[in-house]
């Protein structure tokens, strides 16, 4: 592997900054959705369709980004996509209709999804070079960036308009990209061969068996992202309507989940070094399944909080490990396939919960998160030999 220890350390810091920036910008946009809804005059259903633009834009461009990473290098694509994400976050508050909002969110989602493929691919190369399972630490940076972005957004929401707030995010994003991007562009990806140091690496073409394994890890990512999306959109409603929590208390439910997931990712490297990837996946999926059964069926708010926290700890490292294993098998194309399936799960989760809640009840619908977490654990267990 190319690269001195100092280069690899600086590369790790730069990539960590990009992961944190991604979470920071995305959370800053999310907290201004109510104000932008009022500005556009969109109904709840129209806003829901417009918001699908983020996921749709991400899913549409992820496979293309995998090919671009193979052709131009993950570091260059990361820097370009971070700049595009920073610029596109300023567009939503400039719209005045649901159609216009949906259109700009397609661009925002495309930049967001492409950045995720690019820096996850770069992180896979670094993990391979360091020979340490540090992938969860990058995703912990994303979670921490999101918490900071949401907290800052809440503080300035009363004093800054969405236009000024999100334009501020653009400025911050471009400055951070310029500083961290200089480091990223100066350091050769550690997996680049010696004789092609100045040329982009050719994309790896996975054979049918490898592609099947990549899709398997993508299914684990899908099961994880389904749970994240479901809890983000439905946990507060469950606490408020089914357990009679006040709106303020109900909002704490998802915060418990997000905090537990961040803690789980911060400790993920130690966990992987001790247990290995397969046992981490199986144990995490099983833990999340048990936690979600408690969160969905608990008779009290505090028991539900505990269930959400256990779920967050269980799910924390499933997505990073699944993406990293897919990337090791098939390079940026593997990351793109696993990420696309993962985003498909995030896209599927909230509406699926809604339909099941109408057919049965919301607590019963939320148990589907437990079913898919258990499915992720079963997939990891059944494919442990092939994956190894």
């Amino acid at each position: 592997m190319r690269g001195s220890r100092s280069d690899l350390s600086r590369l790790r810091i730069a990539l960590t900054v990009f992961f944190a920036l991604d979470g920071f910008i995305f959370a800053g946009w999310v907290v201004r959705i109510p104000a932008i809804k009022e500005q556009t005059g969109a109904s709840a259903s129209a806003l829901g369709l417009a918001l699908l633009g983020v996921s749709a834009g991400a899913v549409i461009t992820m496979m293309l980004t995998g090919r671009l990473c193979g052709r131009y290098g993950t570091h260059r694509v990361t820097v370009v996509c971070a700049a595009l994400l920073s610029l596109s976050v300023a567009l939503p508050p400039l719209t005045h209709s649901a159609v216009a909002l949906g259109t700009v969110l397609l661009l925002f989602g495309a930049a967001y999804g492409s950045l995720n493929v690019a820096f996850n691919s770069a992180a896979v190369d670094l993990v391979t070079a360091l020979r340490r399972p540090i992938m969860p630490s990058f995703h912990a940076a994303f979670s921490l960036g999101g918490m900071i972005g949401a907290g800052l957004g809440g503080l300035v929401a009363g004093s800054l308009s969405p236009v000024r707030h999100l334009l501020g995010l653009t400025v911050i994003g471009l400055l951070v990209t310029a500083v961290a991007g200089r480091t990223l562009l100066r350091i050769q990806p550690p997996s680049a061969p010696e004789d092609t140091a100045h040329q982009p690496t050719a994309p790896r073409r996975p054979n049918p068996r490898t592609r099947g394994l990549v899709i398997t890890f993508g299914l684990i990512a899908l099961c994880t992202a389904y749970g994240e999306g479901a809890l983000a959109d439905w946990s507060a409603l469950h606490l408020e309507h089914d357990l009679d929590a006040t709106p303020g208390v109900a909002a704490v439910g998802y915060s418990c989940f997000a905090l537990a997931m961040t803690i789980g990712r911060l400790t993920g490297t130690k966990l992987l070094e001790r247990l290995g990837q397969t046992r981490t996946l199986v144990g995490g999926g099983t833990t999340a399944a048990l936690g979600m059964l408690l969160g969905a069926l608990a008779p009290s708010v505090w028991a539900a909080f505990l269930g959400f926290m256990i779920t967050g700890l269980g799910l924390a490292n499933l997505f990073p490990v699944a993406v990293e294993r897919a990337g090791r098998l098939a390079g940026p194309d593997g990351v793109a396939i696993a990420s696309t399936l993962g985003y498909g799960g995030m896209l599927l989760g909230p509406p699926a919960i809604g339909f099941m809640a109408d057919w049965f009840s919301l607590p019963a619908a939320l148990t589907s998160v437990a079913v898919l977490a258990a499915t992720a654990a079963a997939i990891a267990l059944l494919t442990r030999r092939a994956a190894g």
Side-chain angles (χ1 to χ4, degrees):
M1 295 293 177
R2 288 176 55 84
S4 66
R5 277 286 162 185
S6 62
D7 281 348
L8 296 180
S9 296
R10 289 190 294 122
L11 178 56
R12 182 177 181 179
I13 293 170
L15 286 174
T16 299
V17 169
F18 277 110
F19 272 84
L21 177 66
D22 188 44
F24 177 79
I25 289 178
F26 189 79
W29 139 249
V30 167
V31 298
R32 300 317 298 254
I33 289 176
I36 292 173
K37 176 184 182 297
E38 183 177 346
Q39 175 182 303
T40 59
S43 65
S45 58
L47 178 66
L49 289 173
L51 292 176
L52 283 177
V54 178
S55 296
V59 169
I60 289 168
T61 56
M62 278 178 164
M63 291 305 300
L64 173 62
T65 306
R67 296 187 180 94
L68 291 175
C69 286
R71 182 170 183 179
Y72 297 106
T74 56
H75 292 185
R76 290 180 184 176
V77 177
T78 294
V79 173
V80 170
C81 291
L84 292 175
L85 180 71
S86 300
L87 291 169
S88 62
V89 76
L91 298 177
L94 302 179
T95 61
H96 296 282
S97 70
V99 173
L101 178 62
T103 302
V104 301
L105 288 181
L106 276 172
L107 299 175
F108 178 71
Y112 178 72
S114 297
L115 177 59
N116 275 262
V117 170
F119 62 34
N120 271 297
S121 299
V124 168
D125 289 339
L126 181 58
V127 169
T128 304
L130 291 174
R131 297 183 180 180
R132 287 194 67 209
I134 61 169
M135 197 69 168
S137 68
F138 293 121
H139 289 260
F142 171 85
S143 298
L144 287 171
M147 293 173 69
I148 294 170
L152 180 63
L155 287 175
V156 305
S159 55
L160 288 181
S161 67
V163 173
R164 291 184 176 182
H165 176 200
L166 297 188
L167 184 59
L169 294 188
T170 294
V171 174
I172 293 171
L174 291 176
L175 287 174
V176 171
T177 299
V179 174
R182 287 185 66 189
T183 299
L184 209 59
L185 293 176
R186 285 178 175 178
I187 300 175
Q188 186 72 20
S191 60
E194 286 285 342
D195 60 348
T196 56
H198 300 290
Q199 295 183 21
T201 57
R204 284 175 256 177
R205 298 292 182 188
N207 58 40
R209 179 182 178 277
T210 300
R211 183 173 288 272
L213 282 172
V214 168
I215 291 173
T216 298
F217 294 129
L219 291 175
I220 293 175
L222 183 153
C223 293
T224 305
Y226 177 98
E228 290 187 53
L231 280 165
D233 285 16
W234 291 101
S235 59
L237 194 65
H238 166 56
L239 293 169
E240 190 172 341
H241 286 193
D242 299 317
L243 299 177
D244 298 322
T246 64
V249 172
V252 175
Y254 182 71
S255 298
C256 289
F257 170 79
L259 178 61
M261 180 167 277
T262 302
I263 293 171
R265 286 175 170 173
L266 286 171
T267 58
T269 296
K270 293 292 185 185
L271 189 69
L272 285 163
E273 288 177 333
R274 177 169 297 222
L275 299 180
Q277 291 185 335
T278 296
R279 282 191 286 180
T280 297
L281 289 173
V282 174
T286 303
T287 300
L290 295 174
M292 198 60 225
L293 286 175
L294 176 61
L297 305 177
S300 70
V301 170
W302 301 109
F305 283 173
L306 177 61
F308 291 161
M309 292 190 73
I310 294 171
T311 304
L313 288 172
L315 292 180
N317 297 304
L318 300 191
F319 192 95
V321 171
V323 169
E324 192 255 325
R325 294 185 86 167
R328 283 203 185 197
L329 285 167
D333 279 348
V335 173
I337 292 170
S339 298
T340 300
L341 286 169
Y343 270 82
M346 191 167 285
L347 191 64
L348 172 68
I353 295 289
F355 284 121
M356 286 186 284
D358 284 339
W359 294 334
F360 307 107
S361 67
L362 183 52
L366 287 172
T367 62
S368 64
V369 175
V371 172
L372 286 187
T375 300
I379 291 172
L381 185 62
L382 293 172
T383 60
R384 64 190 183 280
R385 290 185 180 177

